[in-house]
Amino acid sequence: MFHRKFIILLITIVLLMISACQNLSNTTNKTNVNTTQSQTASNEIPNRKWWKEAVVYQIYPRSFKDTNGDGVGDLKGITEKLDYIKSLGIDVVWLNPIFSSPNDDMGYDISDYQNIMKEFGTMEDFDVMLKGFKDRKIKVVLDLVANHSSDEHKWFQEAKKSRDNPYRNYYHWWNEEDGKPPKRVSFFDPEGDAWQYEPNTKSYYLHYFSDKQPDLNWENLKLRQEMYSMMKFWFDKGVDGFRMDVIHFISKDLPFKELPAEFNGDFGKYYGSGPKRHEYVQEMYREVLSKYDVMTLGEAGVGMQDALDYVAEERKELNMIYHYEGVSLGYSPKGKKIVDPNGWKLTDFKDVYTRWDKNFAEKGWNTVYLGNHDQPRMVTRWGNDSDEFREVSSKMLTTFLLTQRATPYYYQGDELGMSNIKFDKIEDYKDIETINWYKQVKAEGGDLREFLDSHKISARDNGRTPIQWDNTANGGFSTGTPWLKVNSNYEKLNANAQDKDENSPLNYFRKLTALRKAEPTLVYGKYTLIDKDNENTYAYIRELNGKKLLILLNFKATESFVKTEFDLSKARVLLGNYKDFSTDGKLKPYQAVILELSN
Ligand code: NOJ
Ligand code: CA
C-alpha cells in the first residue's frame, strides 16, 4: 500500500518538473523571437504601449480591391489581400468608414452605424475579414463618425417628422419663428451655409459638412448613450480601436450666438473649441474606452495645447491626436487648397514636426502622416513624381515617416509610391469637396483655371484612385468600371512588379517596418533636430539608452550637403535609398539614410 502511494507521488513530482521545464522553454523561445527589442525591455523604457510601437496602415476600402466587378472596392477584396497586407510588416489597419451610407461624402455620412455598407458586403464578410486579420496578428481600427450622421439615418428621418418627435433632440435645430439663424459656415455646402431649411417642421438644422450630414446633438444624453453602446458593439466583436472623425467638433456653441470676433471668420477653429468637448471625451473614456485594451486616435485640427489636453494620460481621454499643421503648408491664404505659387519651405516643414515632437515629449504621444484619404499623394505633394525621382523621393518620405518619435499612419498605395492622377476636368472628380468648391468659385466669377491647376496637386481624389495591383486592365483593381479612374501609370507602377524588384519602394517599406520593429530607438528615442536652417536637408538624431541614430534626408532634386559634428566615416548604415553613401555629408537627390553613430 505504502509502496503504491510512494510511486504515485514520485510520478506526480516528475510530471510537475517536466511541465515546469516546458513553461521555462516557452518563455525563452518567446524572448528570442523578439530580438533586441525585448532585451532593452520594459524596465528601461517607461510607459511602453503596443499602439506606440505600431505602424498603422490605412485602407480606403472603396479603392482597395473590388471582387464582384461593380467597380467599388469591398471587404472581400481586403480579405483577398490579407497576405499582402501582412507582408508589409505593419501592425494595425485603420479602415475608413465601412458602415451603411448613401455615400454623399464617401461613407462619412452614416445611415446605420451597426451595419455594413451594401457596396462593401455583409456583416459576415466583415467577420471573415476580421478573423483573417486576427489570425495574422494585425489589429483593426474603425472610423467613428460621431459629429454627424447621414440625413438618411433613422434618427434624422424621425427627427424631421415633428418638433416633438422623440428623436428631435438627436440633432440641432433653429425654429423659423426665431428669425434667421446666426451665420455658421458649412465646409461642403455649395452656398457655404451650415443651416438647411426643413419645410415640414419649419425649422433649420445644422450641418457643418454637407446638408446630407446633419450634426448630432451631444448635449442629449440619449444620443451619447447610443454612441457608447454602438462603440461597445464593435469592441465586443473584437475591433481594436477607433479613429475619431472631427472629434473636436462634437460640442456646440449653444445657443448659437454671433461668431466671436477673435476667431476672425475661422469657423474650423471656432467649431473645434466647443465648451464641453473634453467633458464628452472623458465621459466616453469612462463609459467605454477604459473597459477595453484599444487604441484611440482623434482627428482634430487643434492647436498644441488642446491636442495635449486630449492625450495627456492623467486626463483619461484619448491616446493620440492627429493635427493638420504639417499638411496645411504650401497653400495660399485664399483657401480652398489653392496652391501657393511660392511653394513651401523645408525650414517651415522641419519647424512643424519638431514643435509637435516637443509637445508630447513629456506627456501623451505623437502621430505622423503625410498621406491619407483627405490628402493628395505624398510623393506629388512633398516629394517629386517625375519618372526620374518618383521612386527615390517616395522612399525618402517613407524614411521620414518611420523614423519620427510618433506612431506613423501610412496610407495605402504610398508603399508603391503612387502619384497624383491630376484630372484636367471637373467632370472626372467624384469628391464633394472639390465639386462644391468648384461651384463656389464659378458662382463668384473666380479663376477656375487656377482652381483646377491647384487641385491637380491638392485634391483629395488624387489620394483615392484605386490601388494598382498589376499591369492588367484597371491595374487589377476591378474587372468592371472603377468608381474613380485608375492612374494610367499602372502598367509600370504596380504592386506585382514591385514585389519582384528588390529595390522597389514596396520592398523598401518592408525593410523599414522591420527595422522600426527591431530598433526601439526609432520608436521611443529622443528626437533632436540638427542643421536647423538648412533649406535642403532634414537631419535629426534619435537617441535611447546610449544608442544614437542619425537620419539624413535630402528633400531636393539636387545634391545637398548636411552639416553635422559627427565623423560619418565611423557610422554604420542601417538603411538607405541609394547603394552608397558619402561620408562627407553630401547627399544625392532625395537621398535618405539611417545611420548608427559610434560612441
Ligand atoms: C474628416 C474626414 O477625414 C473627411 O474625409 C470627411 O469628409 C470629414 N471629416 C467629414 O466627416
Ligand atoms: Ca465591389
Side-chain angles (χ1 to χ4, degrees):
M1 189 62 198
F2 172 77
H3 189 68
R4 243 183 76 199
K5 267 193 184 159
F6 180 75
I7 288 177
I8 290 172
L9 188 70
L10 208 68
I11 291 172
T12 316
I13 288 173
V14 170
L15 283 176
L16 278 173
M17 278 173 73
I18 290 172
S19 141
C21 283
Q22 268 170 354
N23 282 342
L24 200 69
S25 86
N26 278 345
T27 333
T28 328
N29 282 343
K30 271 185 205 145
T31 320
N32 285 344
V33 171
N34 279 340
T35 66
T36 46
Q37 180 166 349
S38 308
Q39 282 141 36
T40 343
S42 5
N43 44 1
E44 290 171 53
I45 304 169
N47 214 358
R48 286 183 77 161
K49 293 278 185 279
W50 61 264
W51 42 266
K52 294 181 181 175
E53 297 174 17
V55 175
V56 181
Y57 182 68
Q58 181 190 345
I59 293 184
Y60 191 68
R62 200 171 187 79
S63 298
F64 197 64
K65 177 75 175 100
D66 171 26
T67 55
N68 63 351
D70 66 353
V72 175
D74 40 56
L75 300 187
K76 280 190 172 145
I78 299 174
T79 302
E80 196 181 295
K81 295 292 181 186
L82 282 170
D83 288 335
Y84 171 82
I85 300 165
K86 177 69 189 169
S87 81
L88 300 175
I90 55 88
D91 311 275
V92 175
V93 156
W94 150 36
L95 301 174
N96 285 102
I98 53 165
F99 319 101
S100 304
S101 166
N103 282 311
D104 193 51
D105 182 22
M106 299 307 165
Y108 283 95
D109 46 321
I110 297 173
S111 52
D112 183 347
Y113 288 85
Q114 286 175 217
N115 253 315
I116 303 294
M117 189 193 301
K118 274 204 185 69
E119 291 165 294
F120 287 179
T122 61
M123 193 58 91
E124 201 193 331
D125 296 338
F126 176 84
D127 293 338
V128 171
M129 178 194 72
L130 185 65
K131 177 165 186 314
F133 277 120
K134 298 268 151 179
D135 289 347
R136 289 166 183 79
K137 309 244 171 320
I138 295 173
K139 298 195 187 263
V140 177
V141 166
L142 298 182
D143 217 305
L144 178 80
V145 189
N147 177 67
H148 44 268
S149 74
S150 162
D151 65 336
E152 296 181 30
H153 195 291
K154 183 191 87 188
W155 300 334
F156 192 75
Q157 293 295 314
E158 283 295 317
K160 66 178 190 181
K161 282 186 180 159
S162 69
R163 286 190 184 182
D164 56 9
N165 186 283
Y167 289 94
R168 184 75 175 174
N169 284 334
Y170 277 42
Y171 297 90
H172 294 285
W173 300 93
W174 184 275
N175 293 337
E176 185 185 52
E177 62 273 20
D178 295 334
K180 250 189 100 41
K183 183 173 170 173
R184 291 292 177 271
V185 161
S186 153
F187 301 110
F188 290 165
D189 187 81
E191 277 88 47
D193 187 354
W195 292 104
Q196 176 70 27
Y197 186 66
E198 198 289 299
N200 188 46
T201 55
K202 295 191 172 34
S203 50
Y204 301 83
Y205 64 87
L206 185 72
H207 63 93
Y208 284 174
F209 294 91
S210 93
D211 57 1
K212 286 187 66 61
Q213 294 169 290
D215 282 50
L216 290 161
N217 180 6
W218 275 70
E219 297 281 327
N220 182 348
L221 176 64
K222 265 197 171 152
L223 178 272
R224 302 204 301 277
Q225 282 167 346
E226 298 252 24
M227 282 288 157
Y228 303 152
S229 89
M230 175 271 285
M231 291 171 79
K232 286 182 188 156
F233 167 82
W234 290 105
F235 286 149
D236 291 339
K237 261 185 173 294
V239 161
D240 302 287
F242 276 112
R243 172 266 189 193
M244 304 184 179
D245 192 63
V246 285
I247 196 67
H248 57 321
F249 283 1
I250 57 177
S251 160
K252 303 297 191 266
D253 59 322
L254 302 175
F256 300 116
K257 298 203 173 121
E258 294 305 320
L259 180 78
E262 77 253 30
F263 284 92
N264 201 13
D266 186 345
F267 280 91
K269 197 166 170 194
Y270 183 53
Y271 293 166
S273 62
K276 296 190 183 163
R277 63 196 186 282
H278 289 288
E279 188 183 313
Y280 293 149
V281 178
Q282 282 170 1
E283 181 184 82
M284 181 195 287
Y285 181 89
R286 276 196 312 276
E287 297 293 320
V288 190
L289 303 173
S290 59
K291 304 187 195 309
Y292 301 86
D293 177 22
V294 290
M295 64 168 258
T296 49
L297 164 73
E299 186 226 13
V302 293
M304 290 200 285
Q305 182 55 51
D306 208 28
L308 192 56
D309 285 348
Y310 280 108
V311 301
E313 291 83 358
E314 75 277 7
R315 290 179 56 92
K316 299 193 186 309
E317 296 187 26
L318 304 176
N319 299 141
M320 293 169 272
I321 280 286
Y322 75 54
H323 63 84
Y324 311 150
E325 203 181 330
V327 293
S328 304
L329 290 176
Y331 289 146
S332 120
K334 289 182 191 168
K336 297 193 172 63
K337 295 186 187 163
I338 299 293
V339 171
D340 186 337
N342 300 319
W344 52 277
K345 281 165 71 187
L346 185 62
T347 42
D348 291 337
F349 184 94
K350 295 195 275 190
D351 177 55
V352 170
Y353 292 99
T354 304
R355 274 188 292 106
W356 279 89
D357 173 86
K358 192 164 172 230
N359 198 44
F360 302 112
E362 306 296 329
K363 282 181 184 179
W365 185 250
N366 199 11
T367 61
V368 67
Y369 70 97
L370 289 176
N372 66 35
H373 65 292
D374 290 335
Q375 298 298 324
R377 283 290 168 191
M378 74 171 182
V379 73
T380 303
R381 176 97 151 89
W382 306 104
N384 184 325
D385 63 7
S386 68
D387 283 348
E388 190 179 2
F389 295 123
R390 190 182 52 75
E391 292 212 343
V392 76
S393 66
S394 90
K395 290 179 199 168
M396 184 276 290
L397 296 170
T398 297
T399 314
F400 162 72
L401 289 169
L402 269 74
T403 56
Q404 289 282 306
R405 176 167 56 176
T407 297
Y409 286 79
Y410 199 87
Y411 184 54
Q412 70 175 34
D414 282 346
E415 75 275 23
L416 308 175
M418 278 178 63
S419 56
N420 277 13
I421 191 159
K422 304 185 183 170
F423 289 134
D424 282 319
K425 23 183 224 312
I426 191 68
E427 292 74 24
D428 282 330
Y429 284 100
K430 297 281 181 272
D431 180 15
I432 187 172
E433 177 177 277
T434 312
I435 294 169
N436 281 339
W437 280 347
Y438 182 88
K439 285 185 191 158
Q440 285 178 12
V441 176
K442 198 169 174 189
E444 289 155 7
D447 187 342
L448 287 170
R449 193 67 261 160
E450 177 195 50
F451 178 83
L452 285 175
D453 284 347
S454 274
H455 278 253
K456 288 184 181 181
I457 302 299
S458 61
R460 307 198 293 186
D461 275 346
N462 286 299
R464 298 178 178 184
T465 64
I467 293 294
Q468 300 163 201
W469 292 107
D470 56 39
N471 61 5
T472 64
N474 301 323
F477 163 71
S478 170
T479 53
T481 308
W483 73 278
L484 184 67
K485 281 189 183 161
V486 177
N487 195 316
S488 60
N489 61 12
Y490 74 84
E491 288 185 20
K492 275 197 296 189
L493 194 176
N494 61 66
N496 194 30
Q498 292 201 16
D499 190 49
K500 294 177 192 138
D501 171 5
E502 218 224 302
N503 292 316
S504 64
L506 172 61
N507 280 317
Y508 187 79
F509 179 62
R510 288 171 172 154
K511 283 176 204 157
L512 252 175
T513 54
L515 181 64
R516 191 173 167 96
K517 187 138 298 148
E519 185 45 79
T521 309
L522 285 177
V523 177
Y524 294 104
K526 182 171 149 228
Y527 159 101
T528 313
L529 177 68
I530 58 171
D531 202 8
K532 168 171 164 278
D533 299 324
N534 194 325
E535 280 298 354
N536 302 323
T537 58
Y538 190 169
Y540 44 97
I541 300 166
R542 301 295 312 281
E543 208 172 342
L544 184 74
N545 297 333
K547 192 167 207 176
K548 258 192 190 167
L549 306 181
L550 174 65
I551 291 96
L552 304 177
L553 310 167
N554 181 5
F555 271 73
K556 293 288 144 76
T558 48
E559 276 186 350
S560 308
F561 281 88
V562 61
K563 262 196 275 134
T564 84
E565 58 182 89
F566 306 105
D567 178 357
L568 299 182
S569 66
K570 293 207 181 109
R572 188 164 75 95
V573 176
L574 298 185
L575 192 62
N577 60 355
Y578 279 84
K579 284 210 170 64
D580 45 1
F581 160 69
S582 155
T583 54
D584 59 2
K586 186 164 76 187
L587 297 173
K588 298 203 169 75
Y590 299 106
Q591 183 157 19
V593 61
I594 305 173
L595 301 164
E596 181 174 347
L597 296 171
S598 63
N599 287 311

